[in-house]
């Protein structure tokens, strides 16, 4: 069984509030932007005027941009129509039953470069249509309807990205970042929302915190009490510097240096509350609290980022910015962006020239491109853009030097070939080398270690440990290295764990806790227990999760009390998103780790009640029944899961294992063969299938399966061991010796490997 952390990442839906006939009252501590505008008219007007991209509104002639004059769009075999009726806006499209229905537009969301539309459902959900309006000028390809997911196959109601699915629910996916003072109001028992807000959109108090105390002090001053202002003027969050900040050019390096050095990242973390890929772990928004107190930040994981940390999926800036030299030097969001107008502080490259002298950088000697061309642009080379939602370009904020050499080594993109698509990475490397010499391509980059870790390559183990232990590297990079190293850990590397668990970076401490899962109870107790008191909530929750099995042991009363409280907090963190099946799976795993079988079963079934196609819940529920000795219930559970998700490799593999226990050999082989075919990248499935073939005396077939698996995952130890032992048993001693050599090369200090190899007389 594998722990699923359930990082419930936020997708690119947009926000607003429910279409109730009576507007909900704002929370008492919020005053609303109209109160702010009394004193801050200029800032509020600038903010309101600039937030079309975020704005949500009830539909009207002024707010609806799309063509609702009986316009039609056919996508995924569904012809949808947009029309007006009774002074309202409607779309006729496929609903949750797959049939066409007329849906009234409850809200518009956004302005440029696209506008989305939300549909209200009786259970309080607002669902974001997968059909959006391209609001760009027609000359730029706009003024048209388009589907956000045109390349997805079979986009029916069962698809997780269908507009009626839970993954497209505004209340969960979008609202927290696109409205102010949100109360999600989800009722698990009824599976309903009663969502309320202080303001429909992103307003002053979204960043500055509740302003009732601030307004009260302002009113008191206006009434003649000059001493009414406190030091923070009643604001929950005070932004801006208390001392004058200057950026000076270092005469030795020619690089800018902040004076005084930055000591707080409060502003960046405030922005990161929304501008990051993360999962919510705490409902309350405490003004000024660290990001990790409310959210679990996603690491540089496959599918989200390229191996060198460049953006891949929509990751919302913060994770890439953390990797940048700018962040390390003390640059913060408002150094480049005007927070009220949302514009850059200066036009184009001039924003970079605030710190980087144009005489040095805006020259052909530096960029080697014609002036005013894309190649002469700071942003074009150092912040390449990628389109999300098909037409919304987002810049990579890791602000990196283009590295064509990494494209050649590990297959990552580079800004040179982003423009010069007709050229190769070798051509780009040649140009860069001609201009700047070989210094850039010789400079080590953490992407090589992360790529090796993803591939479980031979050199990954030492490279990842060195990266994880390098305090000069960005914390998100080091945490990713720790995460990748966990399945490759050697006993000797655990010696690095105490230092990592006491690291200054919360992301590093949190990732390092995962290593405790491969240690015994004594080590977990000794090293993990102190982190139940970590100052950052996300770290405390990770500690609770990994320490859950200790509940089964005799513990001193104070320790048991701390652990019980921590596990209660972990459960509460999962219930922040109680509408998600992942949350209940995580609860079930924690309960199972504590030996609370009935509670685990309840949690798994709750996950399936929310989503009958959620395969991990079937897999873990079946495993629970197996642990109880009830193979009949386990089989029924797995078959129910495969009825809901017919081509799920993990469920098919589990069914094969169950048939092995039942001595139903042919059915077991069929299921294990199918699982290996469904997920050829999973070496474990091939390994188990090969062992089943070996047990039937089919050594040649077993070796064929293992050889293919070894090509897919050359660093998988079990596959190599099986290749060695089965080759030996098949009488192919030279092959067995070769596989033994590879094992010894990869695991030189592993006593188990030594014992196996010694059997060959080596």
């Amino acid at each position: 069984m594998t722990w699923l952390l359930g990082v419930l990442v936020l997708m690119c839906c947009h926000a607003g509030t429910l279409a109730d006939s009576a507007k909900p009252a704002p929370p008492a501590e919020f005053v609303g932007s109209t109160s702010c505008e009394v004193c801050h008219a200029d800032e509020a007007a600038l903010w309101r005027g600039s937030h079309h991209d975020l704005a949500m509104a009830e539909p009207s002639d002024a707010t609806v941009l799309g063509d609702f004059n009986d316009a039609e769009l056919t996508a995924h075999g569904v012809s949808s129509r947009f029309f007006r009726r009774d002074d309202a806006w409607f779309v006729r499209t496929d609903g949750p039953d797959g049939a066409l229905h007329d849906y009234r537009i409850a809200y518009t969301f956004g302005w440029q470069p696209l506008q989305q539309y939300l549909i209200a459902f009786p259970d309080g959900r607002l669902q974001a249509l997968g059909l959006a309006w391209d609001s760009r000028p027609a000359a730029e390809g706009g003024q048209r309807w388009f589907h956000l997911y045109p390349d997805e196959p079979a986009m029916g109601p069962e698809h997780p990205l269908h507009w009626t699915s839970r993954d497209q629910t505004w209340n969960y996916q979008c609202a927290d970042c696109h409205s102010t003072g949100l109360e999600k109001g989800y009722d698990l028992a009824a599976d309903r929302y009663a969502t309320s807000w202080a303001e429909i959109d992103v307003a002053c108090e979204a960043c500055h915190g509740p302003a009732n105390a601030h307004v009260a002090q302002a009113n008191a001053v206006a009434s003649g009490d000059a001493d009414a202002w406190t030091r923070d003027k009643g604001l929950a969050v005070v932004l801006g510097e208390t001392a004058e900040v200057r950026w000076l050019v270092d005469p030795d390096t020619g690089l800018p240096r902040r004076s005084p050095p930055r000591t707080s990242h409060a502003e960046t973390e405030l922005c990161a509350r929304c501008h990051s890929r993360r999962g919510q772990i705490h409902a309350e928004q405490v003004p000024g609290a660290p990001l990790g107190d409310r959210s679990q930040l996603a690491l540089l994981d496959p599918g989200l980022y390229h191996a060198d940390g460049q953006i891949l999926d929509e990751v919302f800036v913060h994770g890439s910015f953390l990797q940048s030299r700018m962040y390390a030097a003390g640059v913060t969001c408002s150094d480049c962006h005007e927070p009220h107008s949302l514009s850059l502080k200066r036009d184009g490259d001039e924003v970079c020239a605030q710190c980087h002298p144009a005489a040095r950088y805006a020259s052909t000697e530096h960029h080697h491109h014609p002036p005013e061309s894309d190649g002469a642009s700071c942003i074009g080379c150092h912040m390449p853009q990628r389109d999300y939602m098909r037409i919304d370009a987002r810049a990579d904020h890791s602000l990196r030097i283009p590295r064509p050499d990494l494209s050649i080594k590990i297959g990552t993109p580079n800004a040179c070939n982003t423009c010069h698509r007709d050229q190769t990475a070798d051509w780009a490397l040649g140009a860069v080398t001609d201009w700047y010499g070989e210094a850039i391509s010789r400079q080590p980059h953490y992407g090589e270690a992360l790529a090796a870790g993803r591939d479980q390559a031979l050199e990954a183990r030492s490279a990842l440990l060195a990266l994880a232990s390098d305090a000069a590297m960005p914390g998100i990079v080091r945490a990713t290295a720790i995460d990748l190293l966990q399945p490759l850990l050697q006993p000797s590397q655990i010696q690095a764990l105490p230092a990592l668990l006491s690291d200054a970076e919360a992301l590093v401490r949190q990732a390092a806790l995962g290593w405790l899962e491969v240690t015994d109870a004594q080590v977990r107790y000794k090293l993990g227990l102190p982190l139940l008191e970590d100052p950052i909530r996300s770290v405390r929750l990770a500690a609770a999760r990994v320490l859950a099995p200790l509940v089964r042991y005799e513990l001193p009363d104070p320790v048991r009390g701390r652990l019980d409280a921590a596990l209660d907090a972990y459960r509460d963190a999962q219930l922040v998103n109680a509408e998600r099946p992942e949350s209940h799976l995580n609860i079930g795993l924690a309960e199972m780790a504590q030996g609370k079988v009935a509670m685990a079963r309840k949690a798994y079934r709750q996950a399936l009640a929310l989503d009958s196609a959620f395969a991990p819940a079937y897999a873990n529920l079946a495993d629970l029944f197996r642990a109880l000795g009830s193979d009949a219930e386990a089989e029924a559970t797995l078959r129910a899961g495969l009825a809901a998700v017919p081509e799920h490799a993990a469920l098919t593999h589990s069914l094969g294992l169950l048939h092995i226990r039942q001595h139903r050999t042919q059915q077991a082989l069929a299921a294990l063969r199918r699982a290996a075919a469904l997920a050829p990248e999973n070496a474990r499935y091939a390994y188990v299938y090969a062992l089943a073939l070996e047990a039937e005396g089919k050594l040649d077939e077993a070796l064929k399966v293992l050889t293919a698996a070894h090509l897919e995952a050359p660093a998988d130890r079990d596959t190599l061991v099986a290749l060695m032992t089965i080759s030996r048993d098949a009488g192919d001693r030279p092959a067995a010796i070769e596989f033994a050599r590879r094992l010894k090369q990869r695991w030189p200090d592993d006593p188990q490997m030594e014992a196996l190899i010694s059997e060959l007389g080596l």
Side-chain angles (χ1 to χ4, degrees):
M1 183 184 298
T2 302
W3 282 97
L4 298 182
L5 299 182
V7 180
L8 302 182
V9 291
L10 300 185
M11 298 175 64
C12 202
C13 298
H14 291 87
T17 144
L18 292 180
D20 295 331
S21 57
K23 298 291 185 183
E29 67 270 24
F30 288 87
V31 299
S33 289
T34 53
S35 295
C36 302
E37 290 168 10
V38 172
C39 297
H40 303 283
D42 292 342
E43 292 94 334
L46 195 61
W47 174 263
R48 293 290 190 191
S50 65
H51 273 58
H52 287 307
D53 289 353
L54 303 178
M56 179 170 172
E58 294 180 1
S60 70
D61 289 331
T63 60
V64 175
L65 299 181
D67 179 4
F68 281 81
N69 187 27
D70 286 328
E72 292 191 3
L73 174 69
T74 298
H76 297 293
V78 176
S79 293
S80 300
R81 184 168 65 93
F82 305 86
F83 62 97
R84 296 285 304 273
R85 186 173 68 205
D86 300 329
D87 295 325
W89 287 257
F90 287 85
V91 59
R92 182 169 181 79
T93 193
D94 61 328
D97 59 356
L100 295 177
H101 301 279
D102 293 348
Y103 294 101
R104 183 178 180 275
I105 302 300
Y107 291 98
T108 68
F109 191 89
W111 197 266
Q112 290 287 344
L114 71 154
Q115 186 173 72
Q116 287 186 271
Y117 300 90
L118 304 183
I119 308 299
F121 278 70
D123 58 5
R125 288 182 296 139
L126 282 178
Q127 296 293 130
L129 280 173
L131 309 171
W133 177 254
D134 185 339
S135 53
R136 299 173 301 167
E140 297 177 16
Q143 300 302 297
R144 65 188 176 98
W145 290 103
F146 69 101
H147 200 290
L148 290 169
Y149 309 107
D151 301 325
E152 288 291 325
M155 193 71 167
E158 71 287 344
H159 196 288
L161 294 178
H162 189 265
W163 75 273
T164 60
S165 75
R166 288 182 182 271
D167 284 350
Q168 302 297 327
T169 299
W170 161 86
N171 315 65
Y172 160 72
Q173 292 281 24
C174 323
D176 189 55
C177 283
H178 289 287
S179 52
T180 304
L182 184 84
E183 297 287 345
K184 184 165 61 173
Y186 177 71
D187 182 343
L188 176 61
D191 192 18
R192 297 179 60 88
Y193 293 93
T195 306
S196 64
W197 63 88
E199 296 194 62
I200 193 172
D201 54 11
V202 180
C204 306
E205 291 168 287
C207 296
H208 294 280
N212 57 346
H214 177 67
V215 171
Q217 291 182 20
N219 289 336
V221 171
S223 299
D225 183 2
D227 297 326
W229 286 125
T230 58
R231 183 176 181 181
D232 58 10
K233 295 193 175 182
L235 288 170
V237 178
V238 179
L239 299 173
E241 302 287 346
T242 58
E244 181 181 357
V245 174
R246 295 182 298 163
W247 285 91
L248 308 173
V249 176
D250 189 306
D252 295 327
T253 65
L255 298 175
R257 174 174 53 82
R258 191 182 192 274
S259 178
R262 178 170 293 284
T263 58
S264 169
H265 290 288
E267 180 192 306
T268 305
E269 295 218 331
L270 173 67
C271 299
R273 283 183 350 204
C274 293
H275 294 273
S276 64
R277 190 75 177 249
R278 71 214 176 280
Q280 191 177 343
I281 56 175
H282 191 57
E284 186 180 357
Q285 188 76 270
V286 179
L291 178 65
D293 268 6
R294 192 170 189 256
S295 302
Q296 180 174 304
L297 184 68
L299 300 181
L300 307 182
D301 296 328
L304 297 183
Y305 295 87
H306 290 285
D308 64 349
Q310 291 187 76
I311 59 175
L312 176 58
D313 201 8
E314 181 131 30
V315 288
F316 305 105
V317 176
H318 186 63
S320 53
F321 186 51
L322 289 178
Q323 302 172 59
S324 70
R325 293 173 64 183
M326 308 299 115
Y327 176 82
V331 173
T332 192
C333 308
S334 62
D335 285 325
C336 301
H337 299 271
E338 167 50 53
H340 293 121
S341 71
L342 299 188
S343 62
L344 290 173
K345 285 205 161 181
R346 297 188 185 180
D347 293 335
D349 288 350
E350 290 183 10
V351 73
C352 305
Q354 293 180 110
C355 298
H356 300 276
R360 175 176 178 176
Y361 295 100
S363 64
T364 54
E365 289 78 10
H366 174 70
H367 54 64
H368 297 275
H369 285 78
E372 308 301 324
S373 68
D374 290 341
S377 163
C378 305
I379 293 171
C381 286
H382 300 292
M383 300 182 71
Q385 295 184 326
R386 186 180 180 92
D387 285 343
Y388 299 98
M389 305 183 80
R390 294 188 61 194
I391 60 172
D392 194 2
R394 311 285 177 88
D396 190 319
H397 277 62
S398 54
L399 298 118
R400 62 184 64 220
I401 296 171
R403 293 288 299 266
D405 61 299
L406 293 182
S407 300
I408 296 168
K409 294 175 185 175
I410 60 176
T412 50
N414 70 84
C416 306
N417 292 117
T418 299
C419 285
H420 299 280
R421 297 179 184 274
D422 59 334
Q423 300 290 350
T424 66
D426 287 299
W427 170 87
L429 177 60
V432 170
T433 302
D434 287 344
W435 296 338
Y436 308 111
E438 296 183 348
I440 292 176
S441 59
R442 287 181 176 178
Q443 184 176 350
H445 193 280
Y446 54 78
E448 296 181 65
L450 298 185
R454 289 183 178 189
D455 294 340
Q456 294 191 331
L458 179 61
E459 68 276 11
R461 192 177 292 109
S462 58
L464 289 172
L465 183 59
L467 180 56
S469 303
D470 187 350
M473 287 287 106
I476 192 171
V477 173
R478 299 172 60 210
T480 304
I482 292 168
D483 206 45
L484 288 170
L485 183 53
Q486 181 175 335
L488 305 173
L489 274 174
Q490 290 283 81
S492 61
Q493 293 176 315
I494 296 294
Q495 296 174 6
L497 186 53
L500 296 174
L501 290 173
S502 60
D503 196 86
E505 290 277 356
L507 287 174
V508 170
R509 299 195 300 275
Q510 181 179 330
L513 280 162
W515 288 11
L516 291 176
E517 293 183 315
V518 300
T519 65
D520 58 31
Q522 186 176 6
V523 174
R524 288 196 195 205
Y525 183 94
K526 178 182 178 181
L527 298 183
L529 198 65
L531 278 87
L532 292 178
E533 311 298 330
D534 195 273
I536 302 299
R537 178 177 280 107
S538 61
V539 180
R540 298 196 298 271
L541 295 176
R545 178 183 61 79
V546 79
L547 294 174
L550 298 185
V551 168
R552 301 178 182 222
Y553 294 84
E554 290 290 336
L555 298 172
D557 288 343
V559 172
R560 181 168 294 278
R562 288 167 58 196
L563 184 52
D564 287 345
L567 288 167
D568 287 343
Y570 179 81
R571 179 183 176 83
D572 290 343
Q574 299 304 317
L575 292 176
V576 167
N577 291 312
E579 66 267 57
R580 299 295 301 185
E582 299 94 333
S583 297
H584 299 279
L585 175 69
N586 291 339
I587 290 171
L589 290 167
E591 300 287 11
M592 198 66 185
Q594 299 170 67
K596 299 178 180 179
V597 176
M599 296 296 291
R601 180 168 49 205
K602 179 181 178 181
Y604 296 150
R605 285 177 168 162
Q606 179 63 71
L608 293 173
L610 291 170
D611 184 354
S612 61
F614 186 57
Y618 288 110
N620 283 279
L621 183 58
D623 197 58
L624 180 151
F625 287 130
R626 178 198 60 77
L628 293 176
S630 179
D631 278 354
E633 287 183 286
E635 182 173 354
T637 300
L638 290 172
R639 293 197 180 280
L642 287 168
V645 196
E647 297 198 349
H648 198 275
L651 295 179
T652 306
H653 179 74
S654 295
L655 185 62
L657 293 177
L658 184 145
H659 288 328
I660 285 178
R661 295 195 302 272
Q662 296 171 326
H663 305 292
R664 295 156 66 180
T665 304
Q666 295 309 310
Q667 289 172 289
L669 287 173
L672 294 174
R673 179 174 60 250
R674 177 167 170 75
L678 287 171
E681 75 284 354
N682 191 315
R684 185 68 185 176
Y685 296 164
Y687 166 75
V688 173
Y689 175 44
L691 292 189
L693 289 169
E694 180 197 22
E696 291 300 301
K698 301 178 179 181
L699 301 189
D700 289 342
E701 288 184 52
L703 287 170
K704 183 178 179 181
V705 169
L706 289 168
T707 300
H710 182 55
L711 290 173
E712 283 282 342
D716 185 75
R717 185 170 72 168
D718 289 340
T719 301
L720 271 173
V721 170
L723 280 166
M724 182 189 76
T725 56
I726 296 176
S727 295
R728 176 200 62 197
D729 295 344
D732 191 346
R733 180 175 170 80
I737 290 174
E738 169 58 22
F739 291 126
R741 184 192 64 78
R742 297 182 195 180
L743 282 166
K744 190 174 184 66
Q745 183 183 23
R746 288 183 179 274
W747 291 277
D749 302 321
D750 190 321
Q752 183 181 4
M753 295 303 100
E754 290 288 344
L756 284 169
I757 292 168
S758 67
E759 293 179 10
L760 292 171
L762 299 180

